[in-house]
Amino acid sequence: MGQISIVPVNSLDSQFTERLALCLEERFLFSCIVERTLRVPRTALNSVRKQMFFNTLMSRVALAPVADPDAIRLAITDYDLYKTSHQFVFGDANEDQRIAIVSLHRLRSDFYGERADPNVLFQRTLKEAVHDLGHAFGLKHCYNARCAMYFSNSIYDTDNKLSHFCENCEKKVKANH
Ligand SMILES: [Zn+2]
Ligand SMILES: [Zn+2]
């Protein structure tokens, strides 16, 4: 059986990551473990944007020691991420390196001036984690707005989609196992 390794970047609620691991095991039928925390200091941020360049974090996660070097990695970070092509991203993945990264920064209700809600944060994180792991498994974006592989331009897209793949994407992910 394949393995997914969750890599928490800096301190995260361990109940949160353990719950995420259980849900991902169920979605992918992979064993999923939470690795030791990867320390990434704030000095790694782009000091002008106060955001983390996606590729900077990707290269750090690639070097993190994990139990199974063949495992697919999923890093979870509080840092706000950006790419050359995007002002911000909820997350993304590198298919060749089989690494996915999800940022919690813009998944939090309080980012939008609403009351903090741990359950909303968890559901959004699960959707984006399934999405970015989908990329790590070789899936592209899907035009079905309910499918986890639908690209989220905004938090409304994330809230509108499900944490599952549509039938087509599910077939592809199974084929790539
Ligand atoms: Zn995507
Ligand atoms: Zn789909």
Side-chain angles (χ1 to χ4, degrees), residues 142 147 149 166 169:
C142 178
C147 175
M149 287 317 292
C166 71
C169 292

Side-chain angles (χ1 to χ4, degrees), residues 131 135 141 151:
H131 178 100
H135 283 315
H141 287 146
F151 174 69

Side-chain angles (χ1 to χ4, degrees), residues 44-129:
L45 290 174
N46 176 315
S47 58
V48 177
R49 300 177 66 120
K50 308 275 187 257
Q51 284 177 301
M52 178 76 67
F53 185 50
F54 181 81
N55 292 347
T56 301
L57 189 54
M58 179 60 76
S59 51
R60 300 255 185 161
V61 174
L63 294 172
V66 293
D68 176 0
D70 294 328
I72 290 197
R73 297 172 188 211
L74 169 67
I76 307 287
T77 181
D78 260 320
Y79 289 135
D80 192 20
L81 302 173
Y82 74 99
K83 297 180 76 176
T84 315
S85 53
H86 293 86
Q87 294 286 321
F88 75 89
V89 283
F90 294 114
D92 203 358
N94 182 309
E95 185 184 336
D96 298 326
Q97 292 185 285
R98 308 219 307 163
I99 298 173
I101 302 177
V102 171
S103 164
L104 303 181
H105 192 86
R106 291 169 193 261
L107 300 180
R108 296 181 186 280
S109 307
D110 32 321
F111 179 83
Y112 304 94
E114 289 162 15
R115 194 151 37 94
D117 187 330
N119 282 317
V120 167
L121 175 63
F122 184 81
Q123 288 307 322
R124 288 172 173 173
T125 305
L126 178 60
K127 291 171 187 182
E128 295 306 324

